[in-house]
Structure formats: structure tokens, C-alpha cells
Amino acid sequence: MQKSERYRRIYDLLFAEYGECACPLEHHSPFQLLAAVMLSAQCRDERVNQVTKELFRRAPDAERMSELAPEEIEAIIRPCGLSRNKSRNLHDCAAMLVRKYDGEVPRTMEQLIELPGIGRKSANVLLGNAFGIPGFPVDTHVLRLLNRIGMVRSDSPEAIEADVNAAVPPDLWTNFSHILIQHGRRVCASRKPACERCVLTGVCRRQGVK
């Protein structure tokens, strides 16, 4: 079976289990998704959604966020962890959006990764979920699963993204990332994967699993 066929088999099995998934980060605009994605680093989505209720009440757009002092932002987002760095990135990113893009979030990878606090993973989340532009975010779940299944042998998110993009149709990229993340959270855990109830048993090579 060719790699593209294996990827499609994995996608179809997971899609049958999880379907079309929406981004779990609550937002009402591309800027709010950008802010939520920043806060989600090393923080659970549920906690981010709790924190952004107050954050977006105070600063629902880039202009309002840029007007808040980093210390004010930090006080609101402290429960998300890494609050000093995240507050500075939120403030500086909002200021750059206002200065360079009239407060709007740009729609290209090249422009997005120039923003403070935004790397390729975050940019792909924004492209796929805010704008409907194909993007394949590689988080820790995606990296772990594709190595464990035996599709890749790499610790590089960029290399894994390129591998998937070369073998999987673009219209599947965003949801493929979503369903891999869902499977990583619900079944294929890092320390103790529940292989006995995994829908990928027939295609997974169980790399690194005893």
C-alpha cells in the first residue's frame, strides 16, 4: 500500500469515529481565535475558554487588546500559565495587527508567522479554522500518533507537516489534524495507549509501544 493510500485509510477510519470536528477554542472572529491559540500553549482548551470569556469582554479585537497594558492582560490570563510571555505576545501581536493590517488578521502563512507568538502550528490552525484555507497543524498529539502508527520517523513538526501535505489532499488537512488530536486524547495516550479499543489496529505499526 502506498503512503498516500495508508494516510487515506487512517483518515477514513478516524473520520468514521469522530466525523467533521470543529475547533474547540471558542471565538467569534479570526483575532479571537488567534488570541485563544496563543493561550492554548501548554494549557487545556477548557481552561482557555474560561479565561477568554473575560479577556474578550475587555478586549474583543486587536485595537482594544493593543490598548491594554501587558500587565493588565497578564492578570486576566494568569490561569493559562506562561502568562508573562503570553501577555507580551498578545499585546505586541495586537499592536502589529493594528499598525500593519488595520486590525485584521492576515491570511497567508508568510504573514502570520511574522506575528509575535505565532509559529507554523498556530498559523495552520488559523488558516484552516478561521479562513477555510487548507492547513495541517502538528501538535504533540499529531506528532506522537503519526510516529507511533509508523507513517513518519521524525521529531520535526515541519517535516511531518510536509510529509502529510505531500500525500493527503488539501481539503482533508484541517480535519485530519482535528481527528488525530481527538484520537490522541481519547485513545492513543502518550504513556498508556488503549490499543485494545483502537480503530487503527489494522494499520498501526505500534512504534515504541510494548
Side-chain angles (χ1 to χ4, degrees):
M1 187 181 293
Q2 294 183 352
K3 176 168 277 195
S4 60
E5 294 173 322
R6 285 196 70 214
Y7 269 126
R8 187 56 193 248
R9 179 63 176 156
I10 292 164
Y11 180 89
D12 288 345
L13 288 167
L14 291 177
F15 184 83
E17 190 77 2
Y18 303 109
E20 196 74 33
C21 297
C23 180
L25 296 170
E26 296 173 2
H27 61 282
H28 299 287
S29 69
F31 174 74
Q32 290 187 4
L33 178 57
L34 179 150
V37 167
M38 281 191 186
L39 296 181
S40 69
Q42 298 183 42
C43 182
R44 295 180 64 85
D45 294 340
E46 295 82 1
R47 178 160 293 182
V48 173
N49 289 336
Q50 292 172 354
V51 168
T52 53
K53 285 182 172 64
E54 174 61 16
L55 180 65
F56 296 156
R57 186 187 70 80
R58 296 278 302 279
D61 53 41
E63 184 174 2
R64 295 281 293 279
M65 189 74 73
S66 69
E67 293 170 352
L68 292 180
E71 294 76 16
E72 294 178 90
I73 300 172
E74 183 179 359
I76 299 170
I77 69 170
R78 188 166 287 115
C80 290
L82 306 175
S83 57
R84 180 168 296 181
N85 287 338
K86 290 178 180 179
S87 62
R88 174 58 66 181
N89 282 334
L90 273 171
H91 177 273
D92 292 351
C93 182
M96 184 172 177
L97 290 174
V98 171
R99 182 177 67 252
K100 194 171 180 178
Y101 299 106
D102 295 322
E104 299 298 319
V105 178
R107 298 184 175 214
T108 71
M109 174 64 73
E110 294 73 21
Q111 292 170 317
L112 286 168
I113 60 176
E114 289 181 348
L115 298 172
I118 299 295
R120 288 193 66 88
K121 185 196 82 171
S122 299
N124 275 315
V125 172
L126 286 159
L127 290 173
N129 294 280
F131 303 121
I133 298 170
F136 185 75
V138 179
D139 76 343
T140 55
H141 295 290
V142 174
L143 188 150
R144 181 179 74 254
L145 264 66
L146 291 184
N147 274 279
R148 181 174 282 170
I149 293 167
M151 296 305 299
V152 298
R153 289 187 179 181
S154 176
D155 291 326
S156 166
E158 292 80 9
I160 293 171
E161 178 190 346
D163 191 78
V164 170
N165 289 356
V168 176
D171 60 307
L172 302 182
W173 291 351
T174 299
N175 198 53
F176 194 19
S177 177
H178 280 314
I179 58 181
L180 284 166
I181 291 169
Q182 288 296 317
H183 197 62
R185 288 174 173 170
R186 300 184 188 185
V187 178
C188 194
S190 177
R191 294 185 179 180
K192 193 176 181 181
C195 297
E196 70 281 358
R197 57 184 180 89
C198 179
V199 296
L200 300 179
T201 301
V203 294
C204 181
R205 294 174 178 168
R206 300 181 67 182
Q207 299 290 337
V209 178
K210 294 181 180 180

